[in-house]
Amino acid sequence: MTFELVVRNGTVVTSSATYQADVGVHDGKIAAVADELHGEREINAVGKYVIPGGVDIHVHMQMSLGDGVVSSDDFFTGTRAAAFGGTTTLIDFVEPEPQQSLLEGLAARRAEANPQVVIDYGLHMTLGPDEKDKLDQVQAAYDAGCGSFKLYMAYGFRLDDGQLLSALAAIKQVGGQPVIHCENWDVILTLIQRNLEAGRTAPHWHPRSRPAPLEAEAAGRAIDIASYVDAPLHIFHVSCAAVVERIRSARALGLPITGETCPQYLFLTQKAYDAPGLQGTLPICSPPLRPQADQDALWRALGQGDLQLITTDHCPFVLRDKARGLEDFSKIPGGVPSIEMRLAGAYQGVDRGYYSLNRWVDLCCSAPARLAGLSSKGDIAIGLDADLVVFDPERQVTLSTDFLHEQCDWTPYDGIELQGWPEVTISRGEVIVRDGEFQGEPGRGRFIARR
Ligand code: URP
Ligand code: ZN
Ligand code: ZN
């Protein structure tokens, strides 16, 4: 067989094995994993890890919050930054308008993404309160490739417990995967009001209005409701040890519950909210950053198998938009940019002894692909899409807005030093980033229909 591309002499790392081999690519697929392969184009990966392309199943590109506030990465800049960071597949969201059917919402979001994406992508279907009368459309959304459904216990999208039960039952019936934002919204609204009335308007009060035990209460409640209707459940952006404990105990009972955390919770703490002026508004996200003890617990949970994935919840807002909440922390748009540093950030867990190389690949590539029904992604095996990353474990980088490619005028990781960085990113056999140079094209990415 002729190989269009061979990645030679690298150390192949998958979620289950580490070995020396060449990887041959034919027609966009992995066609051989063996010694002494040669092809039309060869990449020398000696001294490097060859891993499956990263899979990030939680991102928000060009997400509108209304009043002209939109997350600042569009589908082009966001997927390009993802590619620079070694991510070759991501999953964003459909948020249907009240008057739209689920399929109309899906078509509209695909029309936004398709001309721009440089890597492959999927979409979670959001079922908010406006969708409570659309649950008979869940099968159609699933058949159209939305294998997973997003539920919120916070914000305007919030479902009450009865709505949550109905949505989970409908998703279960079609065999879909529910994913959920867990916080106790009534408690949050009460605490925000109490703090603002007392003149406590600074970002310092953001985590103090969204307490960790109530994030855990919400997660526990969601798990109990899911278990009652016999549905699986994936818990988004776990910020604290208390939620890990809920997930751990549910899994110990054999329940199909999974959880993810994100780089912001692994590299930052709630002290960041005490920075003066605009600086303190920037890392506002929900659930909020927590104390150091929670950060330590999250790293341990990833190593011990109590959390299963690392995603980003990438949702950048520029300085001008963050400044809207200078006088009132509850008005600061929530979300931070993380898409580019995820894979290398997670590699620090190997470097610091929390988990193995294989576990790193599982957390960032294989487990997200399995959970999201991306059957052709997340592994290095014959017949799968040739989504590959050549990762240089010796390269040291210092993160900054100049170094990163996200379309955002700040990064929460400014000055953080990382050991290891992706050198080459390959999507379906095409080299799209090499040595810091982008070689992809907008629109080359494909929508992946997922089961
Ligand atoms: O504050 C956050 N996390 N913004 C993004 C939307 C969400 O809740 O996931
Ligand atoms: Zn969320
Ligand atoms: Zn999110």
Side-chain angles (χ1 to χ4, degrees):
M1 180 183 294
T2 339
F3 301 115
E4 288 89 55
L5 176 69
V6 173
V7 182
R8 300 202 69 225
N9 303 319
T11 302
V12 172
V13 184
T14 69
S15 60
S16 57
T18 307
Y19 52 94
Q20 302 292 313
D22 300 341
V23 182
V25 175
H26 176 66
D27 223 4
K29 303 277 184 198
I30 298 170
V33 185
D35 291 334
E36 287 302 323
L37 300 178
H38 289 279
E40 289 160 17
R41 183 174 181 188
E42 296 184 355
I43 291 175
N44 186 8
V46 69
K48 314 283 161 63
Y49 297 133
V50 181
I51 64 172
V55 177
D56 184 352
I57 68 159
H58 184 173
V59 306
H60 304 268
M61 305 302 175
Q62 51 190 77
M63 182 182 81
S64 172
L65 297 187
D67 201 19
V69 178
V70 180
S71 61
S72 57
D73 261 320
D74 58 32
F75 277 102
F76 172 61
T77 60
T79 55
R80 185 184 54 180
F84 272 108
T87 289
T88 51
T89 311
L90 52 77
I91 305 192
D92 201 286
F93 298 85
V94 183
E95 289 168 359
E97 299 291 336
Q99 74 286 357
Q100 276 178 329
S101 69
L102 301 189
L103 288 187
E104 285 166 346
L106 172 62
R109 193 65 170 158
R110 285 185 64 177
E112 284 178 335
N114 283 347
Q116 301 189 67
V117 282
V118 305
I119 58 174
D120 293 346
Y121 77 103
L123 293 167
H124 304 288
M125 177 60 69
T126 305
L127 300 178
D130 289 328
E131 279 65 57
K132 65 179 181 304
D133 301 324
K134 302 180 193 166
L135 295 182
D136 57 346
Q137 301 172 27
V138 162
Q139 181 75 59
Y142 180 84
D143 291 343
C146 288
S148 47
F149 294 83
K150 172 75 183 283
L151 310 170
Y152 282 94
M153 298 169 86
Y155 315 125
F157 288 125
R158 175 228 177 174
L159 300 178
D160 65 29
D161 291 349
Q163 292 166 340
L164 195 52
L165 177 113
S166 302
L168 284 165
I171 300 164
K172 154 78 188 171
Q173 199 170 9
V174 305
Q177 170 67 53
V179 298
I180 189 160
H181 175 130
C182 296
E183 288 189 288
N184 185 316
W185 190 232
D186 290 336
V187 167
I188 290 168
L189 290 180
T190 303
L191 292 180
I192 289 177
Q193 189 184 359
R194 196 186 281 175
N195 284 324
L196 293 178
E197 280 172 5
R200 299 189 285 252
T201 58
H204 175 83
W205 296 98
H206 174 65
R208 288 153 184 91
S209 306
R210 305 177 95 107
L214 275 300
E215 182 188 338
E217 179 278 330
R221 188 158 29 103
I223 290 169
D224 288 347
I225 297 172
S227 137
Y228 178 67
V229 297
D230 198 20
L233 190 61
H234 176 67
I235 315 256
F236 267 178
H237 45 39
V238 174
S239 74
C240 58
V243 175
V244 171
E245 184 46 33
R246 302 283 174 140
I247 295 171
R248 196 199 58 72
S249 0
R251 290 172 64 82
L253 293 172
L255 298 175
I257 306 299
T258 48
E260 66 181 33
T261 192
C262 315
Q264 50 273 33
Y265 304 113
L266 294 168
F267 285 89
L268 310 172
T269 70
Q270 64 180 27
K271 274 201 185 127
Y273 298 127
D274 296 337
L278 186 59
Q279 264 325 100
T281 69
L282 302 182
I284 291 279
C285 58
S286 296
L289 306 176
R290 303 293 187 190
Q292 184 66 49
D294 283 300
Q295 183 185 114
D296 297 343
L298 295 175
W299 280 111
R300 283 196 302 273
L302 292 166
Q304 289 164 358
D306 295 332
L307 289 175
Q308 289 69 41
L309 337 178
I310 300 177
T311 66
T312 59
D313 191 15
H314 179 75
C315 191
F317 292 99
V318 293
L319 297 172
R320 190 189 58 244
D321 288 335
K322 290 282 185 179
R324 291 174 181 238
L326 270 172
E327 308 299 325
D328 172 352
F329 69 88
S330 71
K331 295 200 163 54
I332 301 167
V336 300
S338 289
I339 204 163
E340 191 169 347
M341 61 75 79
R342 180 187 71 122
L343 196 61
Y347 180 71
Q348 309 315 296
V350 179
D351 216 45
R352 296 177 192 176
Y354 283 109
Y355 42 76
S356 68
L357 270 178
N358 309 99
R359 178 85 184 141
W360 166 57
V361 169
D362 200 46
L363 289 165
C364 293
C365 315
S366 314
R370 279 195 306 273
L371 185 93
L374 291 159
S375 53
S376 61
K377 309 286 189 188
D379 202 355
I380 297 182
I382 290 169
L384 296 196
D385 286 349
D387 292 356
L388 301 165
V389 169
V390 178
F391 188 86
D392 181 355
E394 299 303 326
R395 170 123 188 249
Q396 291 175 331
V397 301
T398 304
L399 301 178
S400 68
T401 41
D402 284 347
F403 176 79
L404 296 166
H405 301 82
E406 294 149 347
Q407 183 159 267
C408 193
D409 46 7
W410 65 283
T411 170
Y413 308 108
D414 196 37
I416 288 183
E417 292 175 8
L418 297 181
Q419 178 72 38
W421 193 257
E423 185 176 280
V424 185
T425 303
I426 298 165
S427 165
R428 280 183 281 101
E430 286 176 35
V431 175
I432 55 172
V433 174
R434 184 162 193 182
D435 297 328
E437 196 193 316
F438 180 62
Q439 301 181 357
E441 287 292 327
R444 67 163 297 287
R446 292 182 188 155
F447 174 74
I448 310 280
R450 298 171 296 113
R451 291 281 188 278

